[in-house]
Amino acid sequence: MRISDLLDRQVVDAEGAPVGKVHDVRLVQDGPLLAGGLAALRADALVVGGGTLSVRLGYHRHGVRGPAPLRALFSALERRAVVVPWPELVLTDDGPLRLRCRRAELPGLEDV
Amino acid sequence: MAGRVLYAGLQLLDRQLVDRSGRLCGKVDDLELGEPDDEGNRHVEAVLSGPGALLGRTGHRRLGDWLRRFAGRAFAADGGDPVRISFGRVVDIGNHISLDMDNEEAATFAAERWVRDHIIGRLPGSGIRADQ
């Protein structure tokens, strides 16, 4: 599986309600130590919804400080994204990715 | 202990790959995830670099697949496309991705090297030997 197999895929929750598109994959560097001296990156969660541009700019996650009007706008849009923990995900080859939970149960970007 | 958090799209994809001598050797065009381990976790196993992987990621999957097949035949001796670099060869992740290998070992830029060896290198006065 590649990261590109996940990006831009539609996500629907356990009741079939649309959640949005996958805009990013959150990785946590807490896996086994590798030959290069770094710990392996574990796929931890998907960032879904919130608007393509705002999530790609990463104003909120990167702590970008300016210009202030753009920061206010794009941070607000980015914070509308939800985080789908990896265990809640049902991987499929085609079509939308399905969740084991409802959209309302998903944490926001500020909650993780 | 909680590990460092990285976002693939924000902090890894499209980042420059740099070899141990500081030479550029392509960009991160995709990441390969391994099969789930005993706890169901998937880890990044490899960095993929090459236009075939990039096209697949940017919504031109059929064109990317065709390019991968074409490059697999045309540049098989040069590593094909995309080049798969084990994540174990990554030594640092920052503004760029540092690799514990040489540019030639990474085997990226297969098309460019083919053009250099088979066309540019054969031009009189090019100053490039075909075996360089």
Side-chain angles (χ1 to χ4, degrees), chain A residues 1-5 7 24-29 31 34-36 38 41-43 47 56 58 61 86 91, chain B residues 3-10 12-13 30-33 41-44 48 57 61 68 87-88 90-91:
Chain A
M1 167 182 270
R2 297 179 177 185
I3 291 288
S4 60
D5 294 331
L7 295 176
D24 213 338
V25 179
R26 182 182 143 104
L27 305 166
V28 179
Q29 199 168 17
L34 302 174
L38 298 181
L41 293 171
R42 173 176 57 84
V47 179
R56 298 227 169 129
R61 286 173 296 162
W86 198 263
L91 292 171
Chain B
R4 175 188 182 194
V5 172
L6 290 164
Y7 289 92
L10 204 56
L12 287 168
L13 296 178
D30 209 341
L31 297 169
E32 184 181 290
L33 297 175
N41 295 322
R42 286 179 185 258
H43 295 95
V44 175
L48 304 177
R57 202 187 91 216
R61 192 170 293 269
R68 276 199 292 271
F87 198 76
V90 175
V91 293

Side-chain angles (χ1 to χ4, degrees), chain A residues 61-73:
Chain A
R61 286 173 296 162
H62 247 340
V64 180
R65 285 179 288 184
L70 295 182
R71 181 191 64 187
L73 172 65

Side-chain angles (χ1 to χ4, degrees), chain B residues 9 29 31-32 43-44 52 77 81 100 107-108 115 129 131:
Chain B
D29 291 318
L31 297 169
E32 184 181 290
H43 295 95
V44 175
D81 180 275
D100 179 28
T108 51
V115 170
R129 288 199 340 257
D131 59 347

Side-chain angles (χ1 to χ4, degrees), chain B residues 41-62:
Chain B
N41 295 322
R42 286 179 185 258
H43 295 95
V44 175
E45 288 205 335
V47 171
L48 304 177
S49 180
L54 177 63
L55 286 167
R57 202 187 91 216
T58 52
H60 305 283
R61 192 170 293 269
R62 290 179 65 185

Side-chain angles (χ1 to χ4, degrees), chain B:
Chain B
M1 188 179 72
R4 175 188 182 194
V5 172
L6 290 164
Y7 289 92
L10 204 56
Q11 292 164 287
L12 287 168
L13 296 178
D14 298 323
R15 291 289 167 111
Q16 183 71 54
L17 294 168
V18 176
D19 77 356
R20 59 163 68 104
S21 304
R23 291 178 299 179
L24 309 183
C25 46
K27 292 201 174 179
V28 179
D29 291 318
D30 209 341
L31 297 169
E32 184 181 290
L33 297 175
E35 291 299 312
D37 63 15
D38 295 341
E39 298 172 356
N41 295 322
R42 286 179 185 258
H43 295 95
V44 175
E45 288 205 335
V47 171
L48 304 177
S49 180
L54 177 63
L55 286 167
R57 202 187 91 216
T58 52
H60 305 283
R61 192 170 293 269
R62 290 179 65 185
L63 182 58
D65 289 343
W66 176 84
L67 188 60
R68 276 199 292 271
R69 287 196 299 273
F70 170 75
R73 289 195 297 268
F75 312 122
D78 294 296
D81 180 275
V83 172
R84 183 183 184 279
I85 300 169
S86 167
F87 198 76
R89 306 301 295 272
V90 175
V91 293
D92 190 35
I93 301 170
N95 290 331
H96 57 267
I97 310 298
S98 301
L99 302 175
D100 179 28
M101 60 171 55
D102 290 324
N103 180 311
E104 291 296 322
E105 188 187 353
T108 51
F109 302 130
E112 287 90 337
R113 280 184 286 113
W114 188 91
V115 170
R116 181 195 66 188
D117 295 344
H118 294 84
I119 299 175
I120 304 295
R122 294 181 181 184
L123 294 176
S126 67
I128 301 172
R129 288 199 340 257
D131 59 347
Q132 281 183 327

